[in-house]
Amino acid sequence: EAGVTQFPSHSVIEKGQTVTLRCDPISGHDNLYWYRRVMGKEIKFLLHFVKESKQDESGMPNNRFLAERTGGTYSTLKVQPAELEDSGVYFCASSLPDRAGGNTIYFGEGSWLTVV
Amino acid sequence: GDSVTQMEGPVTLSEEAFLTINCTYTATGYPSLFWYVQYPGEGLQLLLKATKADDKGSNKGFEATYRKETTSFHLEKGSVQVSDSAVYFCALRKNAGGTSYGKLTFGQGTILTVHP
């Protein structure tokens, strides 16, 4: 079974440009999460989808970040316009519906973003 | 809000040495506790977990015991190997009715380097 896949794995863009990160969760996982780790800091929660609905977006840093999950399958995270402090690793994760007792969250390999 | 504090790194050990990475948490209720590991060039992987007080999680020779009285979940391994070199993250997740749900809250990560 395929795991959580993310694309691109690495991206270098100039300040002011736009980047779109994509995440394909494990099939059947209603829960999808985005996290970010800035160099040397803790991994911080960005937002949580349940199917196509945003369950919790309390971690989104500002309105330059837009996450979508149309159709409840894959998700995209767009940063527009990118700033230097957006550099870091963006992790996507997924898990089974909570009612099924699926309390293990599976992570992708991350998308490394460098803004120069 | 909820928070996780890990010991500062980096930690450098010789092969076969004993490892302890301290982790304490602050949370309302009784969260589930996790250790995740990120090997070089890879994504986050669940190492072990404990869902209630006094539970011991174990995997690959690593152990951690959920200590409610000290709000701790320290990671230990009796004899580390070079292949254990990685970044280790302690995390918590809310728990209700025996099922954890929602987002993970991470510590800042501890870099472990094991020399031959």
Side-chain angles (χ1 to χ4, degrees), chain A residues 33 35 37 41-43 45 56 58 91 95 98 101 103-105 107-109, chain B residues 34 36 38 43-44 46 49 51 89 93 99-104 106-108:
Chain A
Y33 306 86
Y35 291 83
R37 187 182 191 215
K41 300 287 183 67
E42 72 269 29
I43 300 170
F45 167 80
D56 180 356
S58 61
F91 290 103
S95 69
D98 292 333
N103 57 7
T104 296
I105 296 180
F107 282 78
E109 295 188 359
Chain B
F34 305 83
Y36 277 82
Q38 185 179 20
L44 284 168
L46 178 64
K49 66 180 181 182
T51 57
F89 296 91
R93 194 177 181 202
T99 299
S100 59
Y101 65 96
K103 65 185 181 187
L104 286 161
F106 285 91
Q108 69 267 42

PDB file of all heavy atoms in Angstrom, chain A residues 33 35 37 41-43 45 56 58 91 95 98 101 103-105 107-109, chain B residues 34 36 38 43-44 46 49 51 89 93 99-104 106-108:
ATOM      1  N   TYR A  33      -3.491  16.233   7.417  1.00  0.00           N
ATOM      2  CA  TYR A  33      -2.876  17.300   8.193  1.00  0.00           C
ATOM      3  C   TYR A  33      -1.704  17.905   7.424  1.00  0.00           C
ATOM      4  O   TYR A  33      -0.998  17.209   6.690  1.00  0.00           O
ATOM      5  CB  TYR A  33      -2.320  16.763   9.520  1.00  0.00           C
ATOM      6  CG  TYR A  33      -3.299  16.000  10.366  1.00  0.00           C
ATOM      7  CD1 TYR A  33      -3.507  14.642  10.163  1.00  0.00           C
ATOM      8  CD2 TYR A  33      -3.986  16.622  11.408  1.00  0.00           C
ATOM      9  CE1 TYR A  33      -4.389  13.934  10.946  1.00  0.00           C
ATOM     10  CE2 TYR A  33      -4.866  15.908  12.206  1.00  0.00           C
ATOM     11  CZ  TYR A  33      -5.064  14.565  11.976  1.00  0.00           C
ATOM     12  OH  TYR A  33      -5.941  13.861  12.758  1.00  0.00           O
ATOM     13  N   TYR A  35       1.787  20.126   8.425  1.00  0.00           N
ATOM     14  CA  TYR A  35       2.668  20.614   9.473  1.00  0.00           C
ATOM     15  C   TYR A  35       3.868  21.291   8.806  1.00  0.00           C
ATOM     16  O   TYR A  35       4.167  21.061   7.642  1.00  0.00           O
ATOM     17  CB  TYR A  35       3.203  19.458  10.339  1.00  0.00           C
ATOM     18  CG  TYR A  35       2.188  18.781  11.218  1.00  0.00           C
ATOM     19  CD1 TYR A  35       1.354  17.787  10.713  1.00  0.00           C
ATOM     20  CD2 TYR A  35       2.074  19.121  12.565  1.00  0.00           C
ATOM     21  CE1 TYR A  35       0.429  17.157  11.530  1.00  0.00           C
ATOM     22  CE2 TYR A  35       1.163  18.497  13.388  1.00  0.00           C
ATOM     23  CZ  TYR A  35       0.342  17.512  12.863  1.00  0.00           C
ATOM     24  OH  TYR A  35      -0.570  16.890  13.677  1.00  0.00           O
ATOM     25  N   ARG A  37       8.093  22.522   9.677  1.00  0.00           N
ATOM     26  CA  ARG A  37       9.227  22.659  10.588  1.00  0.00           C
ATOM     27  C   ARG A  37      10.206  23.662  10.009  1.00  0.00           C
ATOM     28  O   ARG A  37      10.821  23.416   8.971  1.00  0.00           O
ATOM     29  CB  ARG A  37       9.939  21.329  10.821  1.00  0.00           C
ATOM     30  CG  ARG A  37      11.009  21.453  11.904  1.00  0.00           C
ATOM     31  CD  ARG A  37      11.790  20.187  12.141  1.00  0.00           C
ATOM     32  NE  ARG A  37      12.600  20.328  13.354  1.00  0.00           N
ATOM     33  CZ  ARG A  37      13.807  19.784  13.490  1.00  0.00           C
ATOM     34  NH1 ARG A  37      14.330  19.067  12.521  1.00  0.00           N
ATOM     35  NH2 ARG A  37      14.470  19.934  14.623  1.00  0.00           N
ATOM     36  N   LYS A  41      13.622  24.171  14.697  1.00  0.00           N
ATOM     37  CA  LYS A  41      12.511  24.407  15.621  1.00  0.00           C
ATOM     38  C   LYS A  41      11.593  23.182  15.668  1.00  0.00           C
ATOM     39  O   LYS A  41      11.829  22.173  15.012  1.00  0.00           O
ATOM     40  CB  LYS A  41      11.712  25.641  15.164  1.00  0.00           C
ATOM     41  CG  LYS A  41      12.518  26.914  15.097  1.00  0.00           C
ATOM     42  CD  LYS A  41      12.814  27.430  16.471  1.00  0.00           C
ATOM     43  CE  LYS A  41      13.555  28.750  16.456  1.00  0.00           C
ATOM     44  NZ  LYS A  41      12.742  29.858  15.937  1.00  0.00           N
ATOM     45  N   GLU A  42      10.535  23.314  16.476  1.00  0.00           N
ATOM     46  CA  GLU A  42       9.610  22.190  16.573  1.00  0.00           C
ATOM     47  C   GLU A  42       8.732  22.107  15.329  1.00  0.00           C
ATOM     48  O   GLU A  42       8.598  23.059  14.560  1.00  0.00           O
ATOM     49  CB  GLU A  42       8.733  22.308  17.819  1.00  0.00           C
ATOM     50  CG  GLU A  42       7.672  23.388  17.765  1.00  0.00           C
ATOM     51  CD  GLU A  42       8.172  24.699  18.309  1.00  0.00           C
ATOM     52  OE1 GLU A  42       9.377  24.966  18.218  1.00  0.00           O
ATOM     53  OE2 GLU A  42       7.323  25.465  18.806  1.00  0.00           O
ATOM     54  N   ILE A  43       8.154  20.944  15.130  1.00  0.00           N
ATOM     55  CA  ILE A  43       7.207  20.756  14.042  1.00  0.00           C
ATOM     56  C   ILE A  43       5.886  21.371  14.491  1.00  0.00           C
ATOM     57  O   ILE A  43       5.330  20.982  15.514  1.00  0.00           O
ATOM     58  CB  ILE A  43       7.022  19.259  13.728  1.00  0.00           C
ATOM     59  CG1 ILE A  43       8.359  18.634  13.319  1.00  0.00           C
ATOM     60  CG2 ILE A  43       5.979  19.066  12.635  1.00  0.00           C
ATOM     61  CD1 ILE A  43       8.332  17.133  13.225  1.00  0.00           C
ATOM     62  N   PHE A  45       1.874  22.473  13.803  1.00  0.00           N
ATOM     63  CA  PHE A  45       0.622  22.170  13.120  1.00  0.00           C
ATOM     64  C   PHE A  45       0.163  23.374  12.314  1.00  0.00           C
ATOM     65  O   PHE A  45       0.235  24.513  12.774  1.00  0.00           O
ATOM     66  CB  PHE A  45      -0.425  21.813  14.170  1.00  0.00           C
ATOM     67  CG  PHE A  45      -1.834  21.760  13.679  1.00  0.00           C
ATOM     68  CD1 PHE A  45      -2.308  20.651  13.010  1.00  0.00           C
ATOM     69  CD2 PHE A  45      -2.691  22.836  13.896  1.00  0.00           C
ATOM     70  CE1 PHE A  45      -3.617  20.604  12.557  1.00  0.00           C
ATOM     71  CE2 PHE A  45      -3.999  22.794  13.457  1.00  0.00           C
ATOM     72  CZ  PHE A  45      -4.465  21.687  12.785  1.00  0.00           C
ATOM     73  N   ASP A  56      -9.722  22.228  11.490  1.00  0.00           N
ATOM     74  CA  ASP A  56      -8.956  23.094  12.379  1.00  0.00           C
ATOM     75  C   ASP A  56      -7.885  23.768  11.537  1.00  0.00           C
ATOM     76  O   ASP A  56      -7.042  23.086  10.968  1.00  0.00           O
ATOM     77  CB  ASP A  56      -8.327  22.265  13.502  1.00  0.00           C
ATOM     78  CG  ASP A  56      -7.503  23.090  14.485  1.00  0.00           C
ATOM     79  OD1 ASP A  56      -7.332  24.307  14.279  1.00  0.00           O
ATOM     80  OD2 ASP A  56      -7.021  22.505  15.474  1.00  0.00           O
ATOM     81  N   SER A  58      -6.205  26.531  12.835  1.00  0.00           N
ATOM     82  CA  SER A  58      -5.661  27.478  13.805  1.00  0.00           C
ATOM     83  C   SER A  58      -4.160  27.711  13.662  1.00  0.00           C
ATOM     84  O   SER A  58      -3.635  28.697  14.161  1.00  0.00           O
ATOM     85  CB  SER A  58      -5.968  26.994  15.224  1.00  0.00           C
ATOM     86  OG  SER A  58      -5.367  25.739  15.461  1.00  0.00           O
ATOM     87  N   PHE A  91       5.393  19.099   6.073  1.00  0.00           N
ATOM     88  CA  PHE A  91       4.985  17.705   6.161  1.00  0.00           C
ATOM     89  C   PHE A  91       3.478  17.593   5.986  1.00  0.00           C
ATOM     90  O   PHE A  91       2.709  18.371   6.542  1.00  0.00           O
ATOM     91  CB  PHE A  91       5.344  17.114   7.523  1.00  0.00           C
ATOM     92  CG  PHE A  91       6.803  16.925   7.760  1.00  0.00           C
ATOM     93  CD1 PHE A  91       7.509  17.801   8.570  1.00  0.00           C
ATOM     94  CD2 PHE A  91       7.481  15.848   7.203  1.00  0.00           C
ATOM     95  CE1 PHE A  91       8.866  17.613   8.807  1.00  0.00           C
ATOM     96  CE2 PHE A  91       8.833  15.654   7.430  1.00  0.00           C
ATOM     97  CZ  PHE A  91       9.528  16.545   8.230  1.00  0.00           C
ATOM     98  N   SER A  95      -4.570  10.049   8.511  1.00  0.00           N
ATOM     99  CA  SER A  95      -4.971   8.973   9.410  1.00  0.00           C
ATOM    100  C   SER A  95      -6.397   8.550   9.091  1.00  0.00           C
ATOM    101  O   SER A  95      -7.155   9.272   8.441  1.00  0.00           O
ATOM    102  CB  SER A  95      -4.859   9.410  10.873  1.00  0.00           C
ATOM    103  OG  SER A  95      -5.823  10.393  11.191  1.00  0.00           O
ATOM    104  N   ASP A  98     -11.411   8.966  12.959  1.00  0.00           N
ATOM    105  CA  ASP A  98     -11.244   8.746  14.389  1.00  0.00           C
ATOM    106  C   ASP A  98     -12.226   7.724  14.926  1.00  0.00           C
ATOM    107  O   ASP A  98     -11.912   6.962  15.821  1.00  0.00           O
ATOM    108  CB  ASP A  98     -11.393  10.057  15.151  1.00  0.00           C
ATOM    109  CG  ASP A  98     -10.247  11.011  14.852  1.00  0.00           C
ATOM    110  OD1 ASP A  98      -9.149  10.527  14.524  1.00  0.00           O
ATOM    111  OD2 ASP A  98     -10.461  12.227  14.934  1.00  0.00           O
ATOM    112  N   GLY A 101     -11.078   4.274  15.356  1.00  0.00           N
ATOM    113  CA  GLY A 101      -9.978   4.029  16.280  1.00  0.00           C
ATOM    114  C   GLY A 101      -8.616   4.128  15.626  1.00  0.00           C
ATOM    115  O   GLY A 101      -7.624   3.668  16.185  1.00  0.00           O
ATOM    116  N   ASN A 103      -5.772   5.722  15.385  1.00  0.00           N
ATOM    117  CA  ASN A 103      -5.097   6.829  16.033  1.00  0.00           C
ATOM    118  C   ASN A 103      -3.623   6.908  15.685  1.00  0.00           C
ATOM    119  O   ASN A 103      -2.866   7.530  16.390  1.00  0.00           O
ATOM    120  CB  ASN A 103      -5.290   6.755  17.548  1.00  0.00           C
ATOM    121  CG  ASN A 103      -4.792   5.435  18.105  1.00  0.00           C
ATOM    122  OD1 ASN A 103      -4.202   4.632  17.404  1.00  0.00           O
ATOM    123  ND2 ASN A 103      -5.027   5.221  19.378  1.00  0.00           N
ATOM    124  N   THR A 104      -3.194   6.283  14.618  1.00  0.00           N
ATOM    125  CA  THR A 104      -1.828   6.449  14.152  1.00  0.00           C
ATOM    126  C   THR A 104      -1.827   7.417  12.981  1.00  0.00           C
ATOM    127  O   THR A 104      -2.582   7.257  12.035  1.00  0.00           O
ATOM    128  CB  THR A 104      -1.218   5.112  13.714  1.00  0.00           C
ATOM    129  OG1 THR A 104      -1.125   4.244  14.844  1.00  0.00           O
ATOM    130  CG2 THR A 104       0.176   5.319  13.130  1.00  0.00           C
ATOM    131  N   ILE A 105      -1.018   8.436  13.095  1.00  0.00           N
ATOM    132  CA  ILE A 105      -0.877   9.427  12.019  1.00  0.00           C
ATOM    133  C   ILE A 105       0.370   9.085  11.217  1.00  0.00           C
ATOM    134  O   ILE A 105       1.456   8.944  11.774  1.00  0.00           O
ATOM    135  CB  ILE A 105      -0.791  10.852  12.586  1.00  0.00           C
ATOM    136  CG1 ILE A 105      -2.098  11.219  13.308  1.00  0.00           C
ATOM    137  CG2 ILE A 105      -0.511  11.850  11.487  1.00  0.00           C
ATOM    138  CD1 ILE A 105      -2.114  12.616  13.895  1.00  0.00           C
ATOM    139  N   PHE A 107       3.078  10.015   8.217  1.00  0.00           N
ATOM    140  CA  PHE A 107       3.649  11.205   7.605  1.00  0.00           C
ATOM    141  C   PHE A 107       4.295  10.908   6.262  1.00  0.00           C
ATOM    142  O   PHE A 107       4.809   9.807   6.027  1.00  0.00           O
ATOM    143  CB  PHE A 107       4.714  11.813   8.518  1.00  0.00           C
ATOM    144  CG  PHE A 107       4.150  12.594   9.659  1.00  0.00           C
ATOM    145  CD1 PHE A 107       3.650  11.950  10.783  1.00  0.00           C
ATOM    146  CD2 PHE A 107       4.105  13.975   9.618  1.00  0.00           C
ATOM    147  CE1 PHE A 107       3.109  12.670  11.843  1.00  0.00           C
ATOM    148  CE2 PHE A 107       3.572  14.700  10.676  1.00  0.00           C
ATOM    149  CZ  PHE A 107       3.077  14.045  11.772  1.00  0.00           C
ATOM    150  N   GLY A 108       4.288  11.914   5.410  1.00  0.00           N
ATOM    151  CA  GLY A 108       5.057  11.862   4.183  1.00  0.00           C
ATOM    152  C   GLY A 108       6.501  12.256   4.441  1.00  0.00           C
ATOM    153  O   GLY A 108       6.883  12.556   5.577  1.00  0.00           O
ATOM    154  N   GLU A 109       7.298  12.270   3.366  1.00  0.00           N
ATOM    155  CA  GLU A 109       8.711  12.575   3.517  1.00  0.00           C
ATOM    156  C   GLU A 109       8.996  14.066   3.593  1.00  0.00           C
ATOM    157  O   GLU A 109      10.111  14.468   3.861  1.00  0.00           O
ATOM    158  CB  GLU A 109       9.510  11.943   2.379  1.00  0.00           C
ATOM    159  CG  GLU A 109       9.460  10.425   2.413  1.00  0.00           C
ATOM    160  CD  GLU A 109      10.388   9.786   1.408  1.00  0.00           C
ATOM    161  OE1 GLU A 109      11.066  10.521   0.667  1.00  0.00           O
ATOM    162  OE2 GLU A 109      10.429   8.533   1.359  1.00  0.00           O
TER     163      GLU A 109
ATOM    164  N   PHE B  34       3.644  10.046  22.049  1.00  0.00           N
ATOM    165  CA  PHE B  34       4.296   9.411  20.909  1.00  0.00           C
ATOM    166  C   PHE B  34       5.771   9.826  20.842  1.00  0.00           C
ATOM    167  O   PHE B  34       6.146  10.926  21.252  1.00  0.00           O
ATOM    168  CB  PHE B  34       3.636   9.837  19.587  1.00  0.00           C
ATOM    169  CG  PHE B  34       2.153   9.590  19.522  1.00  0.00           C
ATOM    170  CD1 PHE B  34       1.262  10.496  20.070  1.00  0.00           C
ATOM    171  CD2 PHE B  34       1.653   8.455  18.915  1.00  0.00           C
ATOM    172  CE1 PHE B  34      -0.114  10.274  20.012  1.00  0.00           C
ATOM    173  CE2 PHE B  34       0.280   8.218  18.849  1.00  0.00           C
ATOM    174  CZ  PHE B  34      -0.596   9.135  19.401  1.00  0.00           C
ATOM    175  N   TYR B  36       8.313  10.028  17.535  1.00  0.00           N
ATOM    176  CA  TYR B  36       8.524   9.891  16.104  1.00  0.00           C
ATOM    177  C   TYR B  36      10.020  10.032  15.825  1.00  0.00           C
ATOM    178  O   TYR B  36      10.736  10.718  16.558  1.00  0.00           O
ATOM    179  CB  TYR B  36       7.767  10.970  15.321  1.00  0.00           C
ATOM    180  CG  TYR B  36       6.312  10.652  15.077  1.00  0.00           C
ATOM    181  CD1 TYR B  36       5.352  10.897  16.063  1.00  0.00           C
ATOM    182  CD2 TYR B  36       5.888  10.126  13.863  1.00  0.00           C
ATOM    183  CE1 TYR B  36       4.011  10.610  15.838  1.00  0.00           C
ATOM    184  CE2 TYR B  36       4.547   9.833  13.632  1.00  0.00           C
ATOM    185  CZ  TYR B  36       3.623  10.076  14.621  1.00  0.00           C
ATOM    186  OH  TYR B  36       2.295   9.792  14.392  1.00  0.00           O
ATOM    187  N   GLN B  38      12.967  10.701  12.588  1.00  0.00           N
ATOM    188  CA  GLN B  38      13.244  11.074  11.198  1.00  0.00           C
ATOM    189  C   GLN B  38      14.677  10.707  10.883  1.00  0.00           C
ATOM    190  O   GLN B  38      15.618  11.361  11.356  1.00  0.00           O
ATOM    191  CB  GLN B  38      13.005  12.556  10.966  1.00  0.00           C
ATOM    192  CG  GLN B  38      13.157  12.968   9.505  1.00  0.00           C
ATOM    193  CD  GLN B  38      12.900  14.433   9.273  1.00  0.00           C
ATOM    194  OE1 GLN B  38      12.959  15.254  10.186  1.00  0.00           O
ATOM    195  NE2 GLN B  38      12.621  14.794   8.028  1.00  0.00           N
ATOM    196  N   GLY B  43      11.117  10.628   5.792  1.00  0.00           N
ATOM    197  CA  GLY B  43      10.043  11.324   6.489  1.00  0.00           C
ATOM    198  C   GLY B  43       9.946  10.888   7.938  1.00  0.00           C
ATOM    199  O   GLY B  43      10.758  10.112   8.431  1.00  0.00           O
ATOM    200  N   LEU B  44       8.940  11.418   8.616  1.00  0.00           N
ATOM    201  CA  LEU B  44       8.714  11.058  10.018  1.00  0.00           C
ATOM    202  C   LEU B  44       8.091   9.664  10.107  1.00  0.00           C
ATOM    203  O   LEU B  44       7.158   9.351   9.384  1.00  0.00           O
ATOM    204  CB  LEU B  44       7.758  12.049  10.667  1.00  0.00           C
ATOM    205  CG  LEU B  44       8.310  13.406  11.049  1.00  0.00           C
ATOM    206  CD1 LEU B  44       7.180  14.352  11.391  1.00  0.00           C
ATOM    207  CD2 LEU B  44       9.265  13.276  12.203  1.00  0.00           C
ATOM    208  N   LEU B  46       6.534   6.791  12.984  1.00  0.00           N
ATOM    209  CA  LEU B  46       6.159   6.511  14.359  1.00  0.00           C
ATOM    210  C   LEU B  46       7.106   5.463  14.938  1.00  0.00           C
ATOM    211  O   LEU B  46       7.275   4.380  14.374  1.00  0.00           O
ATOM    212  CB  LEU B  46       4.719   6.006  14.431  1.00  0.00           C
ATOM    213  CG  LEU B  46       4.217   5.618  15.817  1.00  0.00           C
ATOM    214  CD1 LEU B  46       4.182   6.837  16.736  1.00  0.00           C
ATOM    215  CD2 LEU B  46       2.836   4.979  15.740  1.00  0.00           C
ATOM    216  N   LYS B  49       4.407   4.420  20.991  1.00  0.00           N
ATOM    217  CA  LYS B  49       3.356   5.253  21.559  1.00  0.00           C
ATOM    218  C   LYS B  49       2.839   4.636  22.852  1.00  0.00           C
ATOM    219  O   LYS B  49       3.046   3.447  23.126  1.00  0.00           O
ATOM    220  CB  LYS B  49       2.202   5.412  20.575  1.00  0.00           C
ATOM    221  CG  LYS B  49       1.451   4.116  20.282  1.00  0.00           C
ATOM    222  CD  LYS B  49       0.320   4.352  19.290  1.00  0.00           C
ATOM    223  CE  LYS B  49      -0.441   3.059  19.018  1.00  0.00           C
ATOM    224  NZ  LYS B  49      -1.515   3.249  18.007  1.00  0.00           N
ATOM    225  N   THR B  51      -0.883   5.190  25.288  1.00  0.00           N
ATOM    226  CA  THR B  51      -2.161   5.884  25.273  1.00  0.00           C
ATOM    227  C   THR B  51      -2.725   6.181  26.653  1.00  0.00           C
ATOM    228  O   THR B  51      -3.694   6.929  26.776  1.00  0.00           O
ATOM    229  CB  THR B  51      -3.211   5.090  24.473  1.00  0.00           C
ATOM    230  OG1 THR B  51      -3.327   3.786  25.057  1.00  0.00           O
ATOM    231  CG2 THR B  51      -2.794   4.955  23.022  1.00  0.00           C
ATOM    232  N   PHE B  89      11.518  13.024  17.846  1.00  0.00           N
ATOM    233  CA  PHE B  89      10.501  13.999  18.236  1.00  0.00           C
ATOM    234  C   PHE B  89       9.510  13.355  19.198  1.00  0.00           C
ATOM    235  O   PHE B  89       8.938  12.301  18.903  1.00  0.00           O
ATOM    236  CB  PHE B  89       9.708  14.499  17.023  1.00  0.00           C
ATOM    237  CG  PHE B  89      10.506  15.264  16.021  1.00  0.00           C
ATOM    238  CD1 PHE B  89      11.110  14.628  14.954  1.00  0.00           C
ATOM    239  CD2 PHE B  89      10.641  16.641  16.145  1.00  0.00           C
ATOM    240  CE1 PHE B  89      11.846  15.348  14.017  1.00  0.00           C
ATOM    241  CE2 PHE B  89      11.367  17.360  15.211  1.00  0.00           C
ATOM    242  CZ  PHE B  89      11.975  16.712  14.151  1.00  0.00           C
ATOM    243  N   ARG B  93      -1.131  13.921  21.735  1.00  0.00           N
ATOM    244  CA  ARG B  93      -2.381  14.073  21.004  1.00  0.00           C
ATOM    245  C   ARG B  93      -3.518  13.862  21.985  1.00  0.00           C
ATOM    246  O   ARG B  93      -3.437  12.995  22.856  1.00  0.00           O
ATOM    247  CB  ARG B  93      -2.454  13.041  19.880  1.00  0.00           C
ATOM    248  CG  ARG B  93      -3.524  13.272  18.835  1.00  0.00           C
ATOM    249  CD  ARG B  93      -3.436  12.214  17.760  1.00  0.00           C
ATOM    250  NE  ARG B  93      -4.426  12.415  16.712  1.00  0.00           N
ATOM    251  CZ  ARG B  93      -4.859  11.465  15.901  1.00  0.00           C
ATOM    252  NH1 ARG B  93      -4.390  10.231  16.017  1.00  0.00           N
ATOM    253  NH2 ARG B  93      -5.756  11.728  14.988  1.00  0.00           N
ATOM    254  N   THR B  99      -9.644   6.781  22.396  1.00  0.00           N
ATOM    255  CA  THR B  99      -9.197   7.059  21.034  1.00  0.00           C
ATOM    256  C   THR B  99      -8.555   8.433  20.979  1.00  0.00           C
ATOM    257  O   THR B  99      -9.138   9.400  21.460  1.00  0.00           O
ATOM    258  CB  THR B  99     -10.389   7.026  20.059  1.00  0.00           C
ATOM    259  OG1 THR B  99     -10.966   5.731  20.078  1.00  0.00           O
ATOM    260  CG2 THR B  99      -9.950   7.352  18.644  1.00  0.00           C
ATOM    261  N   SER B 100      -7.374   8.497  20.428  1.00  0.00           N
ATOM    262  CA  SER B 100      -6.753   9.808  20.272  1.00  0.00           C
ATOM    263  C   SER B 100      -7.281  10.443  18.990  1.00  0.00           C
ATOM    264  O   SER B 100      -7.663   9.751  18.045  1.00  0.00           O
ATOM    265  CB  SER B 100      -5.237   9.706  20.241  1.00  0.00           C
ATOM    266  OG  SER B 100      -4.806   8.883  19.194  1.00  0.00           O
ATOM    267  N   TYR B 101      -7.305  11.759  18.988  1.00  0.00           N
ATOM    268  CA  TYR B 101      -7.904  12.442  17.848  1.00  0.00           C
ATOM    269  C   TYR B 101      -7.246  13.796  17.662  1.00  0.00           C
ATOM    270  O   TYR B 101      -6.588  14.329  18.560  1.00  0.00           O
ATOM    271  CB  TYR B 101      -9.414  12.618  18.051  1.00  0.00           C
ATOM    272  CG  TYR B 101      -9.772  13.534  19.198  1.00  0.00           C
ATOM    273  CD1 TYR B 101     -10.067  14.883  18.992  1.00  0.00           C
ATOM    274  CD2 TYR B 101      -9.809  13.058  20.499  1.00  0.00           C
ATOM    275  CE1 TYR B 101     -10.383  15.713  20.052  1.00  0.00           C
ATOM    276  CE2 TYR B 101     -10.131  13.881  21.561  1.00  0.00           C
ATOM    277  CZ  TYR B 101     -10.414  15.207  21.334  1.00  0.00           C
ATOM    278  OH  TYR B 101     -10.729  16.031  22.379  1.00  0.00           O
ATOM    279  N   GLY B 102      -7.447  14.358  16.474  1.00  0.00           N
ATOM    280  CA  GLY B 102      -6.968  15.712  16.237  1.00  0.00           C
ATOM    281  C   GLY B 102      -5.475  15.775  15.981  1.00  0.00           C
ATOM    282  O   GLY B 102      -4.810  14.790  15.667  1.00  0.00           O
ATOM    283  N   LYS B 103      -4.948  16.979  16.153  1.00  0.00           N
ATOM    284  CA  LYS B 103      -3.568  17.244  15.771  1.00  0.00           C
ATOM    285  C   LYS B 103      -2.575  16.720  16.804  1.00  0.00           C
ATOM    286  O   LYS B 103      -2.894  16.518  17.969  1.00  0.00           O
ATOM    287  CB  LYS B 103      -3.376  18.747  15.612  1.00  0.00           C
ATOM    288  CG  LYS B 103      -3.544  19.499  16.927  1.00  0.00           C
ATOM    289  CD  LYS B 103      -3.478  20.997  16.716  1.00  0.00           C
ATOM    290  CE  LYS B 103      -3.626  21.717  18.048  1.00  0.00           C
ATOM    291  NZ  LYS B 103      -3.724  23.174  17.887  1.00  0.00           N
ATOM    292  N   LEU B 104      -1.340  16.532  16.340  1.00  0.00           N
ATOM    293  CA  LEU B 104      -0.205  16.251  17.204  1.00  0.00           C
ATOM    294  C   LEU B 104       0.467  17.553  17.594  1.00  0.00           C
ATOM    295  O   LEU B 104       0.566  18.478  16.788  1.00  0.00           O
ATOM    296  CB  LEU B 104       0.810  15.379  16.461  1.00  0.00           C
ATOM    297  CG  LEU B 104       0.456  13.913  16.245  1.00  0.00           C
ATOM    298  CD1 LEU B 104       1.301  13.320  15.134  1.00  0.00           C
ATOM    299  CD2 LEU B 104       0.655  13.127  17.531  1.00  0.00           C
ATOM    300  N   PHE B 106       4.165  18.735  18.879  1.00  0.00           N
ATOM    301  CA  PHE B 106       5.519  18.200  18.903  1.00  0.00           C
ATOM    302  C   PHE B 106       6.451  19.003  19.797  1.00  0.00           C
ATOM    303  O   PHE B 106       6.271  20.213  19.992  1.00  0.00           O
ATOM    304  CB  PHE B 106       6.115  18.225  17.494  1.00  0.00           C
ATOM    305  CG  PHE B 106       5.592  17.172  16.566  1.00  0.00           C
ATOM    306  CD1 PHE B 106       4.502  17.426  15.761  1.00  0.00           C
ATOM    307  CD2 PHE B 106       6.201  15.930  16.500  1.00  0.00           C
ATOM    308  CE1 PHE B 106       4.025  16.453  14.894  1.00  0.00           C
ATOM    309  CE2 PHE B 106       5.735  14.955  15.637  1.00  0.00           C
ATOM    310  CZ  PHE B 106       4.645  15.215  14.828  1.00  0.00           C
ATOM    311  N   GLY B 107       7.477  18.323  20.271  1.00  0.00           N
ATOM    312  CA  GLY B 107       8.623  18.993  20.855  1.00  0.00           C
ATOM    313  C   GLY B 107       9.555  19.440  19.739  1.00  0.00           C
ATOM    314  O   GLY B 107       9.295  19.224  18.559  1.00  0.00           O
ATOM    315  N   GLN B 108      10.664  20.068  20.112  1.00  0.00           N
ATOM    316  CA  GLN B 108      11.543  20.694  19.122  1.00  0.00           C
ATOM    317  C   GLN B 108      12.471  19.712  18.422  1.00  0.00           C
ATOM    318  O   GLN B 108      13.177  20.095  17.488  1.00  0.00           O
ATOM    319  CB  GLN B 108      12.353  21.828  19.768  1.00  0.00           C
ATOM    320  CG  GLN B 108      13.393  21.362  20.776  1.00  0.00           C
ATOM    321  CD  GLN B 108      12.844  21.353  22.188  1.00  0.00           C
ATOM    322  OE1 GLN B 108      11.714  20.951  22.448  1.00  0.00           O
ATOM    323  NE2 GLN B 108      13.652  21.801  23.129  1.00  0.00           N
TER     324      GLN B 108
END
